[in-house]
Amino acid sequence: MLLRFFAVIACASALLFVSACGGGGGGGGGATPPVTSTTPTPTPTGGPTSTPTPGITATPVPTATPTSGGVRYILPSASPAALSAITVDSAPRPLAVTLDGATLGTTPTTATPTYSRSAHTLTITAPGLAPYVITLAQTANGPRSVFYNSLIDTQGRIASISTSASARRTMSVGRFTRGALRPRSSIASRPSFSDQRFVVHYDPVQIDASRTFAQLEAAHGVVRAATLAQSARDVTRVVTVGAGTPLAGALASLARERGVTSVDRVRLRYPLAPPRGPVYPNDPFYAQGAQWYLDAIDAPDAWSYGLGKATISIAVIDTGYDVAQTEVAPGVTFSEKIVGGTIDAGANAANDTDGHGTFAAGVASAQTNNASGYAGVAYGASLQVYKVFTDSATPTADSADVAEAIREAVAHKASLILLPLGGTSDAGPDPLERDAVAFALASNIAVIAPSGNEGATTLDYPAGYDGVISVGSSAINDTASPGSAFGGGNFEYVPTYANTAPTLGLVAPGGDLASATDSDVIHGILNAYTTRPLPGLPACPAGTAPASCNVTLSGTSAAASIVAGASALLLAQNPALTPAQLSQLLDSTADDIKDARQGHGRLNLHAASAALAGDLTPVPGPSPPTFNAFVAFAYRNSGGTQPQIIDMNFPTGVRVNTDGTFRIADIPAGAAPYKIAVWADANGNGSIDAGDSFGVVAANCAASGPCSGANAINAKRVAAGFTLP
């Protein structure tokens, strides 16, 4: 199901609705007048976190296998469309269990929650302890187990987060944050000399004839040497001392040898690349400020780390694309229509008569820096387009066609898949679609989808499937400084229409158009629109250049399209990122906008690009990560950089609340000794390394009773060479 919400295209008269916009049915939005190119609360407890855990990968599924018949690819067989059984157990037994306030029985027991537009609450109660609450946002991604160990129930808290001069920081304007990373460019603070190599000049006439150069040098810790030049009275040798040999001592002792005329240090050199700075494309709608959302995620500074690459391909599964839209069509390398199980790869088969697909593709990767139209977040990534919606004023698609389009995107080697569409969780997940998503993830292709626009506490499908990067919306309240995204007193928030859940990944600008007469461009997301809408749908005035035909929308599909473009830019930096690593990178570098419904925060593309590049150059006023950038977990390994998490309900760690508190009460019996730690993975690589923040209890936790010290964990910036205690 595709959404309807308020939107405006560049047309001359009435403001009308545009269909097929958003991430689920109904909700959220308003309209703005056309833009022309004439002038250029506390976080809820419980619920699995969406933060990937090191070493956890997608469940393998069979590889796509071409066949000679009409069936192109073999996928896992779809499981029955049934509700998931939730198994509940505890230590000790029995303990009372309720589901949504109704008595379920005592442990061990099972539950099968029904579908609803709000999350389910499972509560386990032990005498003398606060009820243990788990939020079940989705109930049909396979069997689930919930375990509560009241014997080790630990209420934890991060007491402090310290940082060093190598911290990333964002600078605030009111509550609205903008990236302020200063990319590394200066060599002033880099070492000037080698710490193992130096140069020795000899007068061979004065050297003791009974000793070779190598013998003389070995006495001073030299392990390797090479003659660079020689003449009758001068031999120049470049020598290397062994690791651990003090260079200063070797220099001094060799200088005293008979026949040595001089010694000198070897200087270090560095590439003199120009200093990085923001990249500002010349696209007129960006120059006019109509694409404020690119500055909100700090795309210009992110582009300084490298622009998008055509080898990175975003598969957009939606209403198609306008083959005449010059801001989108040139970037499309493959397209086809899949409707009713029939695949049509004809030249114009995927033509968009609705506009939503063209908009999503343009937001993600419009033709950028071409002095025309709009800038795309990906700044150069190519597009694959799969049209799965019918041509009608109220387009619909079925999940079987969506599943087939996902398979086609895998077969055509897409780098990531954008699904700017949704169906409410009331209908439950579609097994075929779910397996197709799992197939893409197992093929190392990230899947991105909007959370939905119904204001629910569950995620729409496909965002609700395990492993999908789920995206909600943020918007700007510009009451204090109208029409200026970054004006004083303005702040960012999560609109009421945006679905959220404990498993929500992050939010990105999606806008919050109030009505069809909302004229504030800051309240929506502007990008390309189709020049060929069906009769009855809004249309650009006759004679409007395709690059000036635009629409302003608000909704979670706009936000998901921004995250898809951001993901393509990050993959251009490092194509080896797995879907789990990409998700972790986006989540861990997101900005805290002080809204309990934000997931891990609002996308900060600059911070993600810098973290991926290992660029942690200090900026004025460094500050530590926020509490909800951390996950808390129990582990029992020692050494290394990848924790082996033993939590049963939260195998990826439980998200720390906005006030720094967390609860660990799902440790299996017999797991002691173990430790409890908190971790913010700054670069999303799944290892605890330089730039991350980490804190741990001092002593091992016992087999019974709360873990001592967990109520006052101090997190610190991780230095190079870290190993787990």
Side-chain angles (χ1 to χ4, degrees):
M1 172 172 66
L2 236 60
L3 291 212
R4 295 185 172 282
F5 52 84
F6 296 115
V8 165
I9 62 171
C11 52
S13 56
L15 303 178
L16 303 172
F17 289 99
V18 169
S19 64
C21 306
T32 70
V35 178
T36 65
S37 60
T38 6
T39 307
T41 339
T43 302
T45 301
T49 177
S50 60
T51 307
T53 294
I56 293 181
T57 57
T59 304
V61 296
T63 304
T65 307
T67 69
S68 57
V71 178
R72 294 190 173 196
Y73 307 100
I74 299 173
L75 282 176
S77 59
S79 56
L83 300 175
S84 295
I86 310 299
T87 302
V88 188
D89 206 349
S90 67
R93 298 171 173 170
L95 295 179
V97 182
T98 64
L99 178 63
D100 297 332
T103 299
L104 190 64
T106 58
T107 56
T109 186
T110 59
T112 307
T114 57
Y115 291 115
S116 71
R117 296 305 296 144
S118 56
H120 298 285
T121 302
L122 187 73
T123 304
I124 308 172
T125 304
L129 295 174
Y132 183 66
V133 181
I134 293 288
T135 303
L136 303 171
Q138 304 295 341
T139 58
N141 277 315
R144 299 295 174 100
S145 296
V146 173
F147 178 75
Y148 172 54
N149 189 341
S150 66
L151 301 176
I152 53 85
D153 192 338
T154 298
Q155 303 275 357
R157 183 176 65 89
I158 300 177
S160 67
I161 309 172
S162 63
T163 187
S164 67
S166 61
R168 83 168 179 89
R169 186 55 218 150
T170 57
M171 299 184 71
S172 296
V173 181
R175 273 177 53 203
F176 192 89
T177 54
R178 298 189 68 185
L181 283 165
R182 185 174 59 218
R184 184 170 49 216
S185 60
S186 172
I187 64 173
S189 60
R190 309 290 290 278
S192 298
F193 300 99
S194 169
D195 59 1
Q196 284 192 284
R197 305 184 77 204
F198 61 97
V199 178
V200 186
H201 295 275
Y202 297 96
D203 180 352
V205 174
Q206 299 182 44
I207 294 288
D208 184 345
S210 66
R211 301 175 71 188
T212 65
F213 290 128
Q215 289 171 333
L216 186 155
E217 292 158 352
H220 301 277
V222 173
V223 295
R224 186 168 60 255
T227 299
L228 193 63
Q230 63 183 37
S231 65
R233 297 299 303 265
D234 182 50
V235 175
T236 301
R237 304 251 300 170
V238 179
V239 302
T240 303
V241 297
T245 300
L247 185 66
L251 281 165
S253 60
L254 255 173
R256 291 192 293 267
E257 287 282 358
R258 180 183 175 186
V260 174
T261 58
S262 66
V263 294
D264 197 9
R265 302 281 298 273
V266 170
R267 275 73 169 170
L268 297 179
R269 298 290 182 258
Y270 300 95
L272 290 180
R276 285 195 184 110
V279 174
Y280 297 113
N282 60 16
D283 307 272
F285 286 107
Y286 174 74
Q288 294 167 10
Q291 290 187 270
W292 61 270
Y293 53 89
L294 294 173
D295 292 316
I297 64 171
D298 206 358
D301 279 309
W303 292 330
S304 73
Y305 289 86
L307 305 180
K309 298 177 181 177
T311 52
I312 302 300
S313 181
I314 305 171
V316 183
I317 300 175
D318 203 343
T319 63
Y321 75 106
D322 178 7
V323 298
Q325 175 51 263
T326 55
E327 286 296 283
V328 173
V332 177
T333 58
F334 178 80
S335 66
E336 63 185 15
K337 177 181 179 181
I338 307 174
V339 175
T342 299
I343 296 178
D344 183 352
N348 295 323
N351 187 53
D352 184 11
T353 59
D354 178 86
H356 189 262
T358 301
F359 170 82
V363 169
S365 195
Q367 297 293 291
T368 306
N369 203 41
N370 62 347
S372 177
Y374 328 91
V377 180
Y379 208 117
S382 61
L383 295 161
Q384 296 179 21
V385 177
Y386 299 87
K387 178 175 181 171
V388 294
F389 283 87
T390 57
D391 290 307
S392 70
T394 55
T396 57
D398 66 47
S399 54
D401 287 337
V402 173
E404 181 65 12
I406 293 171
R407 289 178 276 168
E408 287 285 282
V410 173
H412 288 91
K413 303 187 184 306
S415 304
L416 61 97
I417 296 172
L418 169 62
L419 295 167
L421 46 82
T424 70
S425 65
D426 294 345
D430 178 271
L432 185 65
E433 184 183 62
R434 181 191 62 203
D435 286 348
V437 166
F439 176 62
L441 295 173
S443 301
N444 209 36
I445 298 172
V447 179
I448 299 166
S451 66
N453 294 347
E454 303 84 52
T457 57
T458 56
L459 305 180
D460 285 355
Y461 293 108
Y465 297 127
D466 290 341
V468 173
I469 297 174
S470 54
V471 184
S473 283
S474 69
I476 294 177
N477 183 322
D478 62 345
T479 303
S481 299
S484 173
F486 310 108
N490 292 350
F491 63 92
E492 200 169 4
Y493 66 99
V494 176
T496 56
Y497 69 77
N499 292 3
T500 189
T503 51
L504 178 66
L506 73 166
V507 297
D512 192 10
L513 292 166
S515 69
T517 58
D518 189 339
S519 61
D520 190 340
V521 70
I522 307 303
H523 293 172
I525 307 298
L526 176 141
N527 213 277
Y529 184 61
T530 181
T531 63
R532 305 176 179 185
L534 286 176
L537 293 178
C540 291
T544 303
S548 297
C549 186
N550 60 68
V551 66
T552 300
L553 306 178
S554 65
T556 55
S557 66
S561 300
I562 289 173
V563 171
S567 299
L569 192 72
L570 296 170
L571 287 171
Q573 279 185 253
N574 182 0
L577 284 175
T578 66
Q581 289 172 333
L582 176 62
S583 177
Q584 174 75 353
L585 178 61
L586 293 168
D587 291 349
S588 63
T589 55
D591 280 338
D592 180 12
I593 61 171
K594 312 298 183 187
D595 193 306
R597 302 172 65 244
Q598 68 181 351
H600 286 91
R602 193 257 297 118
L603 170 69
N604 184 328
L605 183 52
H606 180 199
S609 296
L612 188 58
D615 190 348
L616 298 170
T617 306
V619 297
S623 135
T626 54
F627 286 128
N628 67 343
F630 284 83
V631 290
F633 55 87
Y635 74 99
R636 59 184 173 198
N637 58 303
S638 180
T641 61
Q642 295 185 334
Q644 299 167 11
I645 297 175
I646 60 174
D647 295 77
M648 295 182 68
N649 302 333
F650 303 95
T652 63
V654 62
R655 185 182 300 174
V656 175
N657 296 324
T658 54
D659 62 356
T661 60
F662 61 88
R663 189 175 186 179
I664 300 288
D666 57 346
I667 309 304
Y674 62 90
K675 288 181 179 291
I676 288 179
V678 294
W679 174 29
D681 189 357
N683 60 4
N685 67 352
S687 293
I688 304 175
D689 50 18
D692 292 358
S693 292
F694 180 82
V696 65
V697 295
N700 286 333
C701 305
S704 62
C707 184
S708 177
N711 62 340
I713 296 178
N714 296 312
K716 298 180 180 180
R717 187 73 59 176
V718 173
F722 171 88
T723 57
L724 279 161

